[in-house]
Amino acid sequence: MNHLIRNALGLALLSAAISTSAYAGNSSPGYLDFGKFSPPSSGGEFVEVHIKNNLISMVARLAEKEEPEVAELLRGLQLVHVNVIGLNDENRAEMEKRVKKIRSELDAQGWERVVTAQKNDEDVSIYVKTRGEEAVEGIVVTVLGSKGEAVLVNIVGDIKPEKIAVIGERFNIDPLKKIGQAVEKK
Amino acid sequence: MSDSPKTVSETKRRHRLLPRLAIPVALALLAIGLAGCFKVSSDAQALRDCMMKSAAGEWEEEIEVGVGAFTLNLARAGLAFVDLDPEARTILNAVRGAEVGVYRLPKQRRKLDHAAMLAKADKAMANRGWDRVVGVINQSEFVAVYVPNEVRSTRDVKVCVVVLNGREMVVASARSNLAPLMEMAFSRAGWRQAGRSL
């Protein structure tokens, strides 16, 4: 019980530190609506994170003094949306179909596919929406993973490619490092 | 028709008694209100109620505690003379209020439909102007975190959380000044530790 209370309060404070909202995301060219996902009825994994721009800019202001580089990257962001859905026999086919549909929509809307990786059971695609040669307006990561989960990430904003790698390196967050490297190579 | 002398004196006595009673009652209500002892706030209550309804069953309250500005100020004043860990003092100074409720569902044969519970909680909180920023469902665990959609200042950020673990549910809400907490987080050595991977 104490553990639960601690977790709840910890989450409350942590979320206060990383959340809030005012919206600019869905009118941006870098925004993609993945649609609504339901948690697997068999009780499989389901994670949804949706952080909008006024929280992001709030955290950027707070990070200014200690982490100016991270603050600069955060200032450019409008939305971070992450979905992780556990795959099982019941939803695997449907999720694969939806991810393929999302990828074909991205292709049709002029997004550039910067990473395609298929190894064993893992299928990863990373797309970027660019504005000229200087800025990335949106990043979409789609993963049909070997660990039995589908991952969809949409980052919207005015993103400088080299800054993505910076935050990936600084915080040792592997997916961001890979996205940063992929976008820089482009 | 005129009142009898007895009725007049009773009325006068009542008129004198009322202000005497009203002042201590008002002071008591103010103290209780400031101390945050009115259990959980209406937002946390709405979240709790819709979760309980979705998991139709007899929930038992184990504890409900609210700590408001008055209590926290008293604690700060009292702890000013204590040699407290600087981080603990920072947290104590940053928090403006916190409430926690713990509930248990003793008898439940049916498996809880977490997806439906999440959808209903989202709807109830959206009606009150809250957005969900995090939702996690995994086997018997369920976590949802809500923040108001009109937060503009880092000095007073509110958050509501519901955690469900099997048949135990915790609903918590907190109000806090984010700036010192973020500074503390950024300055922690572990934050930059090499080898930490997400």
Side-chain angles (χ1 to χ4, degrees):
Chain A
M1 162 116 66
N2 285 340
H3 185 66
L4 262 175
I5 296 173
R6 262 203 314 275
N7 280 352
L9 279 175
L11 261 167
L13 289 172
L14 181 71
S15 305
I18 57 160
S19 41
T20 299
S21 11
Y23 209 16
N26 58 7
S27 58
S28 164
Y31 172 74
L32 186 81
D33 185 2
F34 294 135
K36 196 93 183 148
F37 291 98
S38 300
S41 54
S42 57
E45 188 184 11
F46 176 85
V47 177
E48 192 170 62
V49 177
H50 192 83
I51 301 173
K52 299 180 198 169
N53 68 340
N54 77 336
L55 167 71
I56 296 172
S57 55
M58 193 186 280
V59 176
R61 278 203 305 276
L62 295 171
E64 191 84 69
K65 213 165 79 184
E66 301 284 340
E67 296 281 347
E69 267 185 312
V70 173
E72 200 188 331
L73 172 73
L74 291 175
R75 265 198 302 272
L77 299 184
Q78 289 173 1
L79 173 75
V80 176
H81 182 93
V82 179
N83 276 116
V84 181
I85 302 116
L87 298 178
N88 55 26
D89 293 343
E90 169 201 323
N91 68 354
R92 186 182 305 274
E94 191 213 330
M95 280 308 302
E96 283 175 1
K97 204 170 145 190
R98 279 186 76 168
V99 169
K100 276 176 191 160
K101 193 178 166 221
I102 287 168
R103 288 175 181 173
S104 55
E105 270 173 24
L106 290 165
D107 285 327
Q109 287 170 21
W111 287 65
E112 287 181 64
R113 193 189 288 221
V114 289
V115 171
T116 306
Q118 284 177 324
K119 192 182 171 190
N120 300 327
D121 289 335
E122 191 147 280
D123 179 356
V124 181
S125 285
I126 302 176
Y127 292 80
V128 292
K129 184 83 168 177
T130 52
R131 191 185 62 237
E133 288 179 355
E134 291 152 19
V136 174
E137 292 180 309
I139 298 169
V140 171
V141 182
T142 62
V143 181
L144 281 166
S146 53
K147 289 176 191 164
E149 59 191 23
V151 181
L152 296 163
V153 181
N154 183 203
I155 300 172
V156 183
D158 190 0
I159 310 156
K160 296 204 168 58
E162 68 278 11
K163 297 292 175 196
I164 303 170
V166 165
I167 202 165
E169 293 290 339
R170 182 65 58 93
F171 296 104
N172 204 14
I173 303 169
D174 283 337
L176 279 187
K177 272 194 235 173
K178 282 176 192 161
I179 295 170
Q181 286 157 6
V183 176
E184 273 180 349
K185 273 181 204 162
K186 198 178 78 69
Chain B
M1 199 168 75
S2 65
D3 290 336
S4 70
K6 197 182 169 190
T7 319
V8 171
S9 74
E10 256 179 33
T11 315
K12 275 184 184 168
R13 208 174 54 215
R14 257 187 234 151
H15 281 199
R16 261 182 263 131
L17 199 62
L18 272 175
R20 282 185 197 162
L21 277 175
I23 293 165
V25 167
L27 282 174
L29 285 173
L30 182 71
I32 292 168
L34 287 172
C37 294
F38 278 133
K39 297 190 171 183
V40 294
S41 66
S42 60
D43 294 315
Q45 223 172 70
L47 183 58
R48 176 198 67 189
D49 292 348
C50 87
M51 291 290 290
M52 285 181 172
K53 264 187 207 161
S54 328
E58 287 291 315
W59 287 86
E60 283 175 4
E61 178 187 312
E62 297 207 334
I63 188 171
E64 263 188 5
V65 187
V67 183
F70 185 72
T71 318
L72 281 165
N73 281 333
L74 275 181
R76 276 181 209 121
L79 290 169
F81 307 102
V82 178
D83 186 20
L84 202 64
D85 178 61
E87 288 195 350
R89 197 177 293 282
T90 306
I91 293 168
L92 187 67
N93 289 338
V95 176
R96 305 258 184 268
E99 303 147 349
V100 182
V102 182
Y103 315 89
R104 179 176 277 279
L105 190 59
K107 290 171 195 166
Q108 178 75 3
R109 290 199 187 100
R110 260 185 323 140
K111 202 180 161 199
L112 297 177
D113 184 352
H114 287 159
M117 292 171 91
L118 185 64
K120 283 185 184 162
D122 283 356
K123 198 176 167 194
M125 293 305 274
N127 287 341
R128 305 180 71 89
W130 292 69
D131 282 340
R132 176 163 55 80
V133 289
V134 176
V136 178
I137 293 176
N138 198 5
Q139 305 303 333
S140 63
E141 292 163 353
F142 172 107
V143 179
V145 182
Y146 296 87
V147 293
N149 50 28
E150 292 289 337
V151 176
R152 288 192 178 89
S153 165
T154 57
R155 289 173 188 220
D156 192 7
V157 178
K158 255 179 115 178
V159 64
C160 259
V161 181
V162 55
V163 178
L164 198 60
N165 191 358
R167 289 173 182 175
E168 197 157 58
M169 176 168 77
V170 177
V171 177
S173 80
R175 278 176 54 209
S176 166
N177 178 3
L178 276 193
L181 297 180
M182 288 294 288
E183 267 175 35
M184 196 173 83
F186 280 118
S187 62
R188 278 179 80 102
W191 189 252
R192 296 189 190 84
Q193 240 173 33
R196 192 175 60 88
S197 183
L198 295 176

